[in-house]
Amino acid sequence: MQQLGEIPAKQIFPGFYGKMVHGDSSTLAIWDIKKGSTLPEHHHFHEQITYILEGELEMVIDGEKHVLTTGTVHVIPSDTPHSALALTDCKVIDSFAPARDDYR
């Protein structure tokens, strides 16, 4: 067991600060994202579930633009191209399966 406050935040991408929790087969990422920060289009073999705790995050997922707001949840299937732009400061939870070894 661990307190979230004990986990150091890592800047994974410019303006994206994440606290990572790793299990054997999944990763939970808790993000603080600064307004105006962008994540270029990419894809990965991990399934991703994104939940917006606070703020507005514009995402282009498989060519379709979405504005995710507080309380929104979105499933991004494996190998689906996606990008993001923080329209405001955001707090976001991402769940990845399988585990994101590149985030360790």
Side-chain angles (χ1 to χ4, degrees):
M1 183 166 36
Q2 193 172 21
Q3 292 290 319
L4 186 60
E6 297 171 355
I7 300 171
K10 300 177 188 176
Q11 184 172 228
I12 303 295
F13 308 102
F16 286 73
Y17 299 88
K19 294 184 177 201
M20 309 301 163
V21 180
H22 303 283
D24 290 336
S25 59
S26 64
T27 295
L28 187 68
I30 300 95
W31 300 101
D32 281 311
I33 307 170
K34 301 301 176 198
K35 179 181 178 178
S37 298
T38 60
L39 183 61
E41 185 176 80
H42 65 286
H43 63 89
H44 40 74
F45 66 91
H46 312 86
E47 179 181 64
Q48 176 177 336
I49 301 173
T50 297
Y51 174 67
I52 309 300
L53 286 169
E54 295 177 14
E56 294 184 3
L57 186 67
E58 180 181 288
M59 294 191 75
V60 178
I61 302 168
D62 205 17
E64 187 175 336
K65 187 184 290 188
H66 304 270
V67 176
L68 283 62
T69 58
T70 301
T72 301
V73 65
H74 199 295
V75 177
I76 303 171
S78 175
D79 287 318
T80 300
H82 56 287
S83 62
L85 166 64
L87 300 176
T88 66
D89 287 344
C90 299
K91 293 190 184 304
V92 175
I93 296 175
D94 280 329
S95 173
F96 297 96
R100 291 290 303 248
D101 291 332
D102 56 330
Y103 282 0
R104 289 189 190 267

